[in-house]
Amino acid sequence: GESVGLHLPTLSVQEGDNSIINCAYSNSASDYFIWYKQESGKGPQFIIDIRSNMDKRQGQRVTVLLNKTVKHLSLQIAATQPGDSAVYFCAEPSGTYKYIFGTGTRLKVLA
Amino acid sequence: DTAVSQTPKYLVTQMGNDKSIKCEQNLGHDTMYWYKQDSKKFLKIMFSYNNKELIINETVPNRFSPKSPDKAHLNLHINSLELGDSAVYFCASSQSGGTEEQYFGPGTRLTVT
């Protein structure tokens, strides 16, 4: 099913700490997931993706974990910096030519 | 160089007016999209086009009419604007419409008064 935006969850993290942003997805048949970062006044920007044949994928300071058993996705950001402050979305395809986005999580980095 | 561009960035208009938002991508992608983002940041797909052909129309009122003159452009025309149309509209593109990342434009903030 589609996510319903009730309110935007916020995660506040001290600069230098690690951040973990969670996402629950709905379709157990989904085989691909993306994380996007949306800074204030800008469009979403690709961070990292993962296919369902993997449990973990690492990028530069970011790691995505996929738990297919509980349909859960997480984005871990190491040594969080002020520039990481943004809204983060997970997205999954719904057939071709269509993606379903999660409700988003606002990450606030505290100095 | 901007990959996906939209104009205008801001649009303020009165109820009942007709307005258009333009989108262009210079990535050579086959697929383009329009999304609506509400005040709670919820991002919802409106339309998908592949090679100028409409593929997805996500139960959008027919006051919204997208037009794709070529693969690189997808414009959005909105007739008889309503207060509820106020939102940020994002254009995006992707290579083929499959399991791949999308590239988003900077958004157009539409305010209907």
Side-chain angles (χ1 to χ4, degrees), chain A residues 8 17 20 22 25 44 48 57 62 81 105:
Chain A
L8 189 65
D17 287 352
I20 300 177
N22 296 305
Y25 62 93
I48 191 168
R57 189 162 190 224
V62 294
Q81 302 170 358
T105 298

Side-chain angles (χ1 to χ4, degrees), chain A residues 96-98, chain B residues 25 29-34 45-58 65-75 92 94 96-97:
Chain A
T96 48
Y97 307 108
K98 180 179 173 182
Chain B
Q25 55 98 359
H29 289 167
D30 288 340
T31 307
M32 296 185 73
Y33 312 82
W34 277 109
I45 192 162
M46 300 171 68
F47 300 103
S48 296
Y49 268 71
N50 183 256
N51 282 317
K52 306 190 298 177
E53 299 297 321
L54 177 66
I55 305 295
I56 299 278
N57 178 342
E58 196 64 11
S65 52
K67 284 192 171 46
S68 182
D70 55 58
K71 268 180 22 172
H73 296 84
L74 181 62
N75 304 321
S94 68
S96 62

